[in-house]
Amino acid sequence: MIVAGFGFRHSASLASLESALEQATGAMIAVDALATLDGKAGQLAPLARKLALPLMAVGVERLAEQPVATRSPASMAAHGTGSVAEATALAASGLKGRLLSPRAFSSDRLASCALAESPAS
């Protein structure tokens, strides 16, 4: 299973989220689920509905334990992780999930998306 994890600003639109996903997948990789912070799941829900994919909400307490590839000082200060997109993708992909790509940004830089794969794939 491939999970697309998202981090985004409150002002991110559906187009921002779609752009981040497209940048992460290169429009070549099919994802099986979307994930983000539990407090932001409502904002990602329209994309999940549009793509007919399950949406996984990840608690902020699970972020710090995820081995992310990138380090944003702002994300570290706000959420305890260098990348919300990478951490939520990893957390949602399970204990032995692995990061497929570091985060990619939407064209407006309001959203980021990273991919992780669960060992069941």
Side-chain angles (χ1 to χ4, degrees), residues 68-119:
V68 298
T70 59
R71 300 272 182 236
S72 161
S75 180
M76 187 61 80
H79 303 291
T81 182
S83 171
V84 170
E86 294 172 14
T88 57
L90 283 166
S93 68
L95 289 174
K96 295 187 180 184
R98 67 180 180 91
L99 197 60
L100 293 178
S101 66
R103 66 187 173 179
F105 288 94
S106 60
S107 56
D108 60 10
R109 300 203 48 90
L110 294 176
S112 62
C113 179
L115 306 177
E117 183 177 36
S118 70

Side-chain angles (χ1 to χ4, degrees), residues 31-80:
V31 299
D32 301 299
L34 307 182
T36 195
L37 290 173
D38 54 8
K40 291 191 166 195
Q43 194 171 344
L44 189 57
L47 181 60
R49 282 191 299 272
K50 182 176 181 177
L51 300 175
L53 292 173
L55 175 57
M56 304 166 86
V58 176
V60 70
E61 69 280 355
R62 295 188 55 208
L63 301 184
E65 64 196 46
Q66 305 306 322
V68 298
T70 59
R71 300 272 182 236
S72 161
S75 180
M76 187 61 80
H79 303 291

Side-chain angles (χ1 to χ4, degrees), residues 6-21 43-47 50 106-112:
F6 287 83
F8 49 89
R9 296 186 183 274
H10 180 69
S11 58
S13 65
L14 178 58
S16 301
L17 299 168
E18 289 174 316
S19 174
L21 180 61
Q43 194 171 344
L44 189 57
L47 181 60
K50 182 176 181 177
S106 60
S107 56
D108 60 10
R109 300 203 48 90
L110 294 176
S112 62

